[in-house]
Amino acid sequence: MKQKENQLKAFLQKGHLHYMPGVSVDNVIFGFHENQLKVLLLQANTGKFWMLPGGFVQKNEHIDEAAARVLQTRTGLDNIFLQQFHTFGQPRRSSNKVLIETFHSLEVPFDEDHWLLQRFVSIGYYALVEYDKVHPEPDELSRTCTWHDLDRLPSLLLDHKDIIMKALEELRLRLNYQPVGYNLLPEQFTMKNLQSIYETLLGRELDRANFSRKILSFGILDRKRKQFSGGAHKAPFLYSFNKKKYFRALEKGLGRDF
Amino acid sequence: MKQKENQLKAFLQKGHLHYMPGVSVDNVIFGFHENQLKVLLLQANTGKFWMLPGGFVQKNEHIDEAAARVLQTRTGLDNIFLQQFHTFGQPRRSSNKVLIETFHSLEVPFDEDHWLLQRFVSIGYYALVEYDKVHPEPDELSRTCTWHDLDRLPSLLLDHKDIIMKALEELRLRLNYQPVGYNLLPEQFTMKNLQSIYETLLGRELDRANFSRKILSFGILDRKRKQFSGGAHKAPFLYSFNKKKYFRALEKGLGRDF
DNA sequence: TACTATTGTGTCATATTGACTCATTAATAC
DNA sequence: GTATTAATGAGTCAATATGACACAATAGTA
C-alpha cells in the first residue's frame, strides 16, 4: 500500500493547488437491504470515528460534479440522482484531530495555515442507491467503508450525525413531490418492495391497498406480465419504473400543490 | 463619502484576514407592495448590472449569522426568518469585471491571487419582509439599493437571476409545509391581504372562499373584533398571526405528509 | 334611498384518504 | 393429490378535503 500512502502525501501537500479552500461536499448515501435503511460510512484510519463519504471541490468543477465524483469513487456507481439538501456552516465544524494524526504518522510537515486545517463549509447531498450494486471503497484517509443501519449508527465525526438526520428530514419532505426508488431497486420489483422503502424512509407503516392505489396513480410504473415466484404464497406482479415518466415526475413534481 | 471609500479599501486589502475564502452568502429578500411581489436589489457602483444583497462569511461566524447580518445591514431588519434554500457552485460563477474596475478606480494594487478574484460558492437564503419597514441601504460596492418587481427584473449580474428563480421555486414548494406572511404583513391584516400574497407567490389566482377555509384550518390566525374600514364596500375582518401557533407550524410543518 | 362591489358563510358535487373486506392463489404441510 | 396458510389484487364505504359556485349582508358611493 505504498502507492496509497504516496497519493495521500501528495494530496496533503499539494491539495491546495487543485481544490477550493473552505468548501467540501458530504454525501449521505442510502441503501436498502433486508428491509433496513442503510447509510454508507467510512472509518478513519486513525481513531474509531466514522464519517460520511465526502471530498473537496476541484477548482474548476461544479459542486454537483464533485458530489458525483465522490459517489463514484466510493461506490463505483455512476449516473445516480444526487439531491443537494443543505449546506452546513457552523464555525467550528472542523475537528482536525484525524488530520493532525495523519500528518504525524506520514511525517508530513505542516503548520497552522495548512489548507486542510482551515474552517470548512460542507454542502450536503443525498443519494438512494441499489445496495447490491455498491462496491464500497475506502478513501485515502479511511480504512473501511461499509453500510450501517440507520437506527444503529456508530459514533460519528463532527456534525455528521446531524447531516444524516437532516438528509432524512429533507428526503421525507421531498417524498411528496419526488418519486423515489429508481436507483434503489433492481430493474423489476414488487409493490411490496417499494412499499417497504417508503415505510422505512417515513418511519411508519402504510396500508398496503392504499399505498398501491396512490403509487399507481402517479403513473410512473409499468406492470409486467411476468410474476415473481420463489416467495411463499400468492405470486405478486412485478413492476418496473417507466423511466420517461419517472424522470418527468422527478423534474415536474408529483403535482400536490397548495 | 471619503469614509465609505476608505472602508472599501480596507475591505479589499484586508478582507482575507476576516472572511472565509471562496464562500459567500446571497439573500433573496422578498417584499410585497401594491399587490406586487418585489425583490431587493443593489446596483453596482461601476456598470449597470444589478445584484442580490450578499456578503462574505466571517472566519468565526455561522453561515446563517452571515446571512442575517447581510439582511440587517441592507434593510435594518432584525430577527427575520431566513430560509437557506440552495447552494450555487458552478465553476465560473464569479465575474470579476465589477471588482477589477473597483480596484482600478480606487487605485488599489492587486494581482490574480487576490482573495476576491478567486472562485466563490454562494449559499442562497430567502426572506419575506414587510415592505414598509425596510430602509434599503447600499453596500460599499453599490450605489443604489431598491425594490424591483419580480416580473420586471433588470439585467442581473452572473447567475443572480437563477438564484432568484430557484428561491421562488423552493418557496413555492415550502408553501405546503410552512406558513407564510409573518414578516410580510403588518400586525393586523385582512384575509384578502394574505390571499394576495399567496396568489403572487404561486403566480395564480385562488378561490376566495376556499382559501379562507384552508388558511383558517391551519389554526394560526386570530380574528380581531375590530373591522377594517376606509376601503369601499363591506368591511372585512382583521386578523393577526397567533405567534405561538405560527412558529410551531413553521417548525413542525402544516401536517401534509405522504 | 338605491346601487355596487366586496365580504362572510353555506352548499354541493367530486376527489382523495384511511380503514376494511373478500375472493384468489402459490407454496407448504399432510 | 388435497388441505392449509399467508400474502396478493381488487373492491367497498365512510370520513375528509377540495373546487366551483350561490346568496345574503353591508360599507361606501351615486
Side-chain angles (χ1 to χ4, degrees), chain B residues 48 55 67 80 87 99 103 110 116 125 128 173 178 188-189 210 212 220 224 236 240 245:
Chain B
K48 65 184 173 78
I80 298 287
T87 295
L99 276 169
F103 283 124
F110 69 97
L116 276 172
Y125 288 79
L128 299 156
L173 279 188
Q178 292 181 346
Q188 303 203 351
F189 50 89
N210 297 336
S212 167
I220 54 172
K224 303 293 174 183
S240 68
K245 292 178 183 169

Side-chain angles (χ1 to χ4, degrees), chain B residues 109-125:
Chain B
F110 69 97
D111 59 20
E112 276 187 352
D113 291 339
H114 189 278
W115 71 289
L116 276 172
L117 298 180
Q118 304 311 303
R119 171 185 170 194
F120 273 80
V121 156
S122 182
I123 308 164
Y125 288 79

Side-chain angles (χ1 to χ4, degrees), chain A residues 26-247:
Chain A
D26 279 307
N27 288 352
V28 182
I29 302 170
F30 292 111
F32 194 71
H33 187 59
E34 288 170 353
N35 272 13
Q36 285 280 341
L37 194 60
K38 311 267 187 179
V39 188
L40 198 63
L41 296 175
L42 303 170
Q43 187 168 36
N45 272 327
T46 65
K48 66 185 174 77
F49 286 105
W50 293 79
M51 48 196 188
L52 289 167
F56 303 98
V57 181
Q58 289 169 12
K59 294 210 172 189
N60 211 34
E61 179 184 46
H62 195 298
I63 52 174
D64 294 352
E65 286 172 36
R69 178 172 49 76
V70 167
L71 179 65
Q72 209 280 326
T73 29
R74 287 309 129 248
T75 65
L77 296 178
D78 224 334
N79 240 287
I80 299 286
F81 174 70
L82 269 160
Q83 174 75 49
Q84 185 197 308
F85 66 93
H86 195 75
T87 294
F88 299 84
Q90 309 129 262
R92 285 276 117 234
R93 275 201 72 245
S94 2
S95 141
N96 298 323
K97 224 174 57 183
V98 173
L99 275 170
I100 291 178
E101 285 168 12
T102 310
F103 282 123
H104 285 309
S105 75
L106 291 179
E107 292 169 16
V108 172
F110 69 99
D111 57 22
E112 276 188 352
D113 293 338
H114 189 277
W115 71 290
L116 275 173
L117 298 179
Q118 304 311 302
R119 172 184 170 194
F120 272 80
V121 156
S122 181
I123 307 164
Y125 288 79
Y126 67 73
L128 298 156
V129 304
E130 199 170 342
Y131 182 89
D132 297 308
K133 288 210 177 150
V134 171
H135 302 293
E137 188 68 41
D139 64 12
E140 302 85 0
L141 285 166
S142 54
R143 56 167 173 252
T144 347
C145 179
T146 52
W147 293 103
H148 289 258
D149 271 15
L150 195 65
D151 42 18
R152 261 178 300 158
L153 292 176
S155 298
L156 288 161
L157 200 66
L158 309 171
D159 57 348
H160 284 202
K161 175 144 191 181
D162 299 335
I163 297 181
I164 294 173
M165 289 309 147
K166 182 75 177 173
L168 192 60
E169 187 187 319
E170 288 292 321
L171 172 55
R172 280 178 182 163
L173 279 188
R174 292 195 186 266
L175 233 44
N176 290 307
Y177 308 108
Q178 292 181 346
V180 148
Y182 185 68
N183 287 307
L184 210 47
L185 288 168
E187 170 64 20
Q188 303 203 351
F189 51 89
T190 67
M191 190 59 79
K192 177 94 189 151
N193 294 149
L194 189 55
Q195 185 179 341
S196 293
I197 289 175
Y198 273 83
E199 287 181 332
T200 313
L201 290 176
L202 290 168
R204 66 188 160 91
E205 300 199 336
L206 301 171
D207 181 88
R208 188 172 57 87
N210 297 337
F211 175 80
S212 166
R213 179 175 54 188
K214 184 154 183 175
I215 291 289
L216 289 175
S217 81
F218 293 162
I220 55 171
L221 294 183
D222 289 336
R223 188 159 87 172
K224 304 291 175 184
R225 292 202 209 113
K226 215 169 58 172
Q227 313 254 126
F228 172 78
S229 64
H233 322 301
K234 183 173 178 180
F237 280 108
L238 287 176
Y239 294 88
S240 67
F241 288 108
N242 182 314
K243 203 169 167 181
K244 206 170 182 178
K245 292 178 183 170
Y246 184 93
F247 282 99

Side-chain angles (χ1 to χ4, degrees), chain B residues 44-56:
Chain B
N45 273 326
T46 65
K48 65 184 173 78
F49 286 106
W50 293 79
M51 47 194 189
L52 289 167
F56 303 98

